[in-house]
Amino acid sequence: MIVSGSSSQSLAASLAAELDEPLAATAVEHFPDGELLASVPGLADGTTPDRAVVVASTVSADAHLELLQLQDAVREAGVDEVVTVLAYMGYARQDRAFDPGHPVSARAVARAISTGTDRILTVNPHEDAVCDFFDPSADAVDAASTLADPLPADLADPVFLSPDAGAVEIAETVRDAHGDGEVDYFEKTRHSGTDVEIAPSDVRVEARDVVVVDDIIATGGTMSEAVSVLRDRGAARTYVSCVHPLLAGTAYTRLARAGVEAVYGTDTIEGAASAVSVAPVLADEL
Ligand code: R5P
């Protein structure tokens, strides 16, 4: 049985179809005091599956809470094995204490999620090491190759760039899945949560199509800066691709104003840029 958090309904439905497993009916109530109640009414009919796969992306505090409740609901109903598909793990980028007195937020979140599950699958966390924060086994699935699917087949002499060295492997994976092209990366300096500086790499981009690839677009600051640099240097078409299209606030507008041709992401975070599903990649691991 596939159990969907409300932020992952499309992905959960695709996963149910891939695995040919039933998609459970779920309900989410909001109480006047702000509390949530996420439940799985379908379990009330007395038939308890051996395994429940809870699919969620913790894009907000409510989504975190909902996931914990759904895990608990299926356990309460007597399900033997609870698998959690954490398609996008919020707080994964807070993977260390940045200053004295700070928490390791990714660890705190992982510990809470660990208590209600026997296994965790997550998709391209910012660093794979975040899996070590979970107590049951946690595996990171690499869905980067799916990002090649929505790209135009006629990319001209393409360059696949990552905004920093940390994402260059994702850029390589997308290039390999596309078939051809050069790979390089920028040097990024972050000045604040929304302000980043991108130092161009030496790669020639003039009159070439460029695909900028990253694990996540959050505020769009990184990608819009990268696109601006590329346009200044005479790139032909620029596309941006990411696994997790969080696109917070005015991110999409920033990217459009910077001159991007298209924004392509997966359905780990469902929205306007979800051009491709990670369900087949996840199904292979389930
Ligand atoms: C950071 O290293 C990540 O890989 C992304 O580059 C970053 O999270 C993107 O954030 P934003 O869209 O806010 O610039």
Side-chain angles (χ1 to χ4, degrees):
M1 169 184 277
I2 307 297
V3 179
S4 173
S6 54
S7 302
S8 298
Q9 296 178 55
S10 165
L11 174 58
S14 300
L15 199 53
E18 284 284 333
L19 294 170
D20 197 20
E21 288 192 28
L23 179 64
T26 52
V28 183
E29 294 173 59
H30 295 259
F31 294 106
D33 61 1
E35 289 189 355
L36 282 178
L37 174 57
S39 59
V40 191
L43 289 169
D45 67 5
T47 53
T48 305
D50 292 338
R51 178 179 85 160
V53 179
V54 182
V55 184
S57 282
T58 48
V59 289
S60 66
D62 278 0
H64 273 270
L65 209 284
E66 203 184 276
L67 168 58
L68 301 182
Q69 289 181 323
L70 292 173
Q71 289 175 326
D72 204 69
V74 294
R75 193 71 93 189
E76 178 70 11
V79 168
D80 281 341
E81 184 189 17
V82 180
V83 179
T84 299
V85 170
L86 191 56
Y88 166 71
M89 179 186 173
Y91 291 88
R93 289 176 292 171
Q94 294 188 42
D95 56 359
R96 59 192 170 90
F98 295 101
D99 280 309
H102 282 200
V104 181
S105 301
R107 183 179 60 199
V109 163
R111 283 176 174 164
I113 292 171
S114 293
T115 60
T117 193
D118 300 298
R119 184 185 170 206
I120 293 143
L121 276 182
T122 192
V123 181
N124 291 91
H126 185 56
E127 299 284 351
D128 281 4
V130 81
C131 290
D132 296 341
F133 291 143
F134 293 92
D135 189 13
S137 92
D139 296 301
V141 172
D142 184 2
S145 63
T146 62
L147 292 172
D149 294 355
L151 290 173
D154 65 347
L155 290 177
D157 194 13
V159 186
F160 295 80
L161 284 170
S162 62
D164 56 40
V168 74
E169 282 180 19
I170 300 179
E172 280 170 352
T173 301
V174 179
R175 186 275 313 272
D176 292 348
H178 175 72
D180 67 320
E182 193 173 353
V183 176
D184 206 339
Y185 59 91
F186 292 120
E187 296 290 346
K188 177 169 91 175
T189 308
R190 182 173 286 284
H191 298 298
S192 72
T194 54
D195 183 22
V196 296
E197 187 179 327
I198 296 284
S201 72
D202 293 334
V203 70
R204 182 184 62 78
V205 296
E206 196 176 349
R208 301 174 77 180
D209 287 336
V210 182
V211 183
V212 194
V213 186
D214 208 349
D215 57 337
I216 176 172
I217 302 176
T219 66
T222 301
M223 285 297 205
S224 57
E225 181 64 16
V227 172
S228 299
V229 166
L230 290 165
R231 286 181 64 84
D232 287 349
R233 299 181 68 209
R237 298 178 294 180
T238 53
Y239 297 87
V240 298
S241 294
C242 68
V243 178
H244 306 297
L246 189 56
L247 295 167
T250 57
Y252 210 107
T253 302
R254 289 179 84 173
L255 292 165
R257 285 175 55 81
V260 72
E261 293 285 330
V263 183
Y264 297 127
T266 79
D267 56 357
T268 62
I269 299 173
E270 296 173 0
S274 300
V276 66
S277 181
V278 299
V281 184
L282 285 167
D284 284 347
E285 301 297 322
L286 288 165

